[in-house]
Amino acid sequence: PISQGKFTALVGPSGGGKSTIARLTARFWDVTGGSITLGGQDIRKLPLKQLSQSISFVTQDNFLFDCSLKENIRLGRPGASDEEVLAAAQAAQCEEFIGRLEHGWDTTAGDAGKQLSGGERQRIAIARALLHDSPVFVFDEATSSVDMESEELILDTIRELAQSRGKTVIMIAHRLRTVVDADQIIVLDNGRLVEHGTHDELMKKNGLYYKLFHIQQESLGWAV
């Protein structure tokens, strides 16, 4: 089970089932066996509006609309004030690049967000999710295109969601260094849960997580 107010990471090799679980949780698809429950209720029995209000989902490839950056963020909660939009944008580290744009907050994202880089689109999508302020947040490689410095600051915000605000956070991560302080790490391989525990517990097991972590650590020293 994934507990309320905890930061849970899903990790494992490509094709292990991480994104599938995330999409099933948000009910992009329905399970063909078993069930996924939210607060003890099968999510298939929840009205879609209630489910969408309960879960904020951010992927690595997010869709933006051809309107201003401010309004793209405000889509997370249409009634939000400008101050609330700005606070969400600050938490998602958007100010740095928005300040460089000629029209600032009024800059148009372009068709599907083509006016922005991948990392900038991700930050706008994270700000939108933060503004939505749902009980459950699912981040599927949501910072994969963000520079390292901004990523660390965004991760601080994501950790705070669970630690200080009681949100349930599920993060799918390829870079294991980003989830070493998660409350629980679930390791998936070929669609199966093969290990779970904290970073320290998994490192002591010398299993798949240990192997993946050391491969990534060694790769940091590679050069071309």
Side-chain angles (χ1 to χ4, degrees):
I2 295 175
S3 302
Q4 179 182 354
K6 298 295 183 181
F7 176 15
T8 297
L10 303 181
V11 306
S14 297
K18 304 182 294 296
S19 292
T20 298
I21 288 179
R23 283 161 172 73
L24 289 171
T25 300
R27 211 184 163 197
F28 292 178
W29 310 314
D30 276 336
V31 295
T32 55
S35 65
I36 296 174
T37 61
L38 180 64
Q41 297 186 65
D42 190 319
I43 62 172
R44 291 170 293 184
K45 296 180 180 179
L46 294 175
L48 287 177
K49 182 178 181 180
Q50 181 181 346
L51 184 63
S52 67
Q53 290 174 341
S54 299
I55 299 177
S56 295
F57 192 96
V58 186
T59 69
Q60 60 181 317
D61 189 16
N62 301 280
F63 187 87
L64 300 186
F65 294 89
D66 192 13
C67 58
S68 73
L69 300 183
K70 182 190 295 182
E71 294 310 311
N72 263 287
I73 295 173
R74 203 192 305 272
L75 286 169
R77 184 154 47 90
S81 66
D82 284 354
E83 290 75 17
E84 290 171 321
V85 171
L86 177 59
Q90 289 175 328
Q93 302 302 308
C94 296
E95 281 193 307
E96 178 269 329
F97 76 85
I98 289 177
R100 291 188 276 103
L101 300 174
E102 182 180 357
H103 300 292
W105 292 101
D106 295 320
T107 301
T108 300
D111 186 24
K114 66 181 180 182
Q115 300 283 17
L116 304 179
S117 70
E120 291 166 351
R121 287 196 299 272
Q122 285 185 334
R123 282 183 271 182
I124 292 292
I126 291 170
R128 182 191 293 169
L130 294 175
L131 186 65
H132 185 51
D133 198 31
S134 62
V136 180
F137 286 80
V138 180
F139 298 96
D140 186 356
E141 296 279 9
T143 60
S144 59
S145 298
V146 176
D147 65 89
M148 189 175 295
E149 181 178 354
S150 295
E151 181 182 49
E152 286 300 324
L153 294 171
I154 292 171
L155 288 172
D156 286 342
T157 297
I158 291 174
R159 295 182 191 107
E160 184 185 356
L161 289 173
Q163 295 169 356
S164 303
R165 295 173 58 186
K167 307 295 186 181
T168 301
V169 176
I170 302 171
M171 173 174 278
I172 296 171
H174 175 69
R175 297 193 287 263
L176 300 183
R177 62 174 177 76
T178 63
V179 297
V180 294
D181 57 355
D183 296 302
Q184 175 182 216
I185 299 172
I186 295 173
V187 186
L188 300 167
D189 190 22
N190 291 322
R192 294 182 177 276
L193 189 158
V194 294
E195 295 176 333
H196 69 93
T198 64
H199 170 77
D200 290 341
E201 290 168 347
L202 292 172
M203 292 299 285
K204 291 176 183 177
K205 291 181 179 180
N206 292 331
L208 179 58
Y209 180 84
Y210 175 91
K211 177 181 177 182
L212 293 173
F213 189 83
H214 275 281
I215 288 173
Q216 289 194 8
Q217 290 297 103
E218 290 172 1
S219 71
L220 293 177
W222 293 354
V224 177

